Amino acid sequence: DLEAENLFSMTAAGASTRGWLGQASYRNTRFRPTIGAMVLGGATSSSRVVGGGPFIEIPYGVFMHAGWVGRETHEFDEDFPDPHAFDSGPNLALAYSCQLDVEPRDPSWGFFIGGNAFWFRDHLGGDRDLTEYTSVLETSYGVQQDWLLWLRLSYSKKIGPLLDSEVLEIQSAVRGSTLLEGSDVGGLTLELRFPLWRDLFLMPFEFIGLGEYLLFKDLRGFLFGDAGFAGTSEADLNDRENSAASAGVGLRVDLFAFAWPLWNQRTPIRLEFWYARVGQTREAPGNEFGVGFVLGY
């Protein structure tokens, strides 16, 4: 409406029938705290998920969501019947942020803390009893202008019978690590981010009259260290035999692309390239390279 007291929003994205997400939400901003409701559906790899429920947004960065999720996990196997499981149960998410952004994606002060929990039960319409927890803490500090010290702690745990595709993998916490997995994964990341070339303003297509379609904005470097573990059993967090650590250097390229006629405004994109020296339990240290891509802020 004209006074923006009632806000409806819809988002959707997809790359294939096995990789898509759609979400719709309603917020009433007339009262404080803001109240609303949302529904979502999507697919990632072998999972299909639908869910929804009410939420509350409290001023000063506090968000709380409570809802119900129905999820089907379907593994694809060419040689055997496809294993699958249907899960049903409540979901609770909490988040708080007081981060202050000076540069996009690079908050110069503050912290973010969040958690998400699912309680799937067979007596609630599912096929199994499965509990999932995820938590994350991020904080950053501006050492000087555009020089940032960034820290992230994360921990995820699953309790119950798991399909092969549902086992947690340590590469989600430690860059360059492989082969380590379990029902418990935790990680710590420390980065020093610094500018290499601010306001580069390089337009590679300018010579053919298409300079507005691609703009290289900034080049940024970073030094990083990762450490983490993956539990070796589905139930015992204390068994931390599988651990890994990596340290390295990377380059981030911030650019803007204009995808007319599909999109009539510049879209921020970040490309990331990194090298790491990786060591993990029962494996000799090795060199790893990686590439990352982020679309939008």
Side-chain angles (χ1 to χ4, degrees):
D1 52 33
L2 294 178
E3 296 180 353
E5 292 182 351
N6 296 283
L7 175 63
F8 295 90
S9 62
M10 298 179 63
T11 60
S16 70
T17 57
R18 294 172 61 180
W20 61 274
L21 176 67
Q23 177 177 306
S25 66
Y26 162 75
R27 288 173 170 83
N28 185 303
T29 62
R30 181 176 183 178
F31 305 102
R32 292 292 185 270
T34 296
I35 59 175
M38 63 177 293
V39 294
L40 62 85
T44 57
S45 183
S46 60
S47 297
R48 311 290 188 272
V49 60
V50 294
F55 62 81
I56 298 174
E57 292 179 344
I58 302 173
Y60 312 110
V62 179
F63 172 83
M64 180 179 69
H65 169 84
W68 196 277
V69 172
R71 182 184 68 183
E72 180 190 19
T73 303
H74 189 112
E75 294 184 350
F76 299 91
D77 195 318
E78 296 180 355
D79 300 322
F80 300 96
D82 294 343
H84 62 88
F86 178 76
D87 299 312
S88 176
N91 162 236
L92 177 65
L94 296 169
Y96 171 76
S97 176
C98 62
Q99 292 177 322
L100 175 64
D101 288 333
V102 175
E103 295 291 339
R105 307 188 189 95
D106 295 319
S108 62
W109 181 88
F111 68 92
F112 167 86
I113 184 170
N116 200 358
F118 298 89
W119 295 275
F120 300 119
R121 297 293 183 265
D122 57 1
H123 64 270
L124 297 178
D127 296 334
R128 57 183 172 170
D129 290 347
L130 177 64
T131 305
E132 299 181 1
Y133 301 104
T134 300
S135 58
V136 62
L137 168 66
E138 293 182 1
T139 185
S140 55
Y141 174 72
V143 180
Q144 60 180 27
Q145 183 180 1
D146 221 7
W147 285 69
L148 302 176
L149 194 61
W150 184 83
L151 174 72
R152 174 185 173 93
L153 290 169
S154 63
Y155 173 67
S156 298
K157 182 179 181 64
K158 295 185 177 183
I159 305 172
L162 301 177
L163 301 178
D164 290 342
S165 64
E166 296 176 317
V167 176
L168 300 173
E169 299 178 341
I170 199 171
Q171 50 260 55
S172 64
V174 180
R175 275 167 283 200
S177 61
T178 57
L179 305 178
L180 304 182
E181 59 186 25
S183 62
D184 307 88
V185 168
L188 180 150
T189 294
L190 182 64
E191 287 188 5
L192 176 62
R193 303 175 177 178
F194 50 90
L196 295 175
W197 197 333
R198 296 190 188 96
D199 299 327
L200 178 61
F201 294 141
L202 174 63
M203 293 182 285
F205 300 142
E206 187 176 17
F207 73 100
I208 58 175
L210 299 176
E212 70 274 12
Y213 281 84
L214 186 63
L215 169 67
F216 285 81
K217 173 65 167 59
D218 298 308
L219 295 180
R220 301 177 184 278
F222 63 99
L223 303 174
F224 69 89
D226 295 344
F229 75 93
T232 57
S233 70
E234 294 184 355
D236 188 4
L237 172 62
N238 296 320
D239 187 354
R240 300 182 182 181
E241 181 182 2
N242 288 353
S243 61
S246 66
V249 61
L251 172 69
R252 291 191 172 107
V253 183
D254 290 327
L255 54 91
F256 291 87
F258 181 71
W260 185 89
L262 299 178
W263 193 253
N264 61 359
Q265 63 183 12
R266 291 189 182 274
T267 301
I269 297 173
R270 167 169 282 183
L271 302 178
E272 179 177 295
F273 308 90
W274 55 264
Y275 158 79
R277 184 71 172 172
V278 182
Q280 57 190 32
T281 304
R282 300 188 303 276
E283 296 285 341
N287 301 315
E288 297 291 341
F289 297 87
V291 178
F293 175 82
V294 179
L295 176 65
Y297 288 131

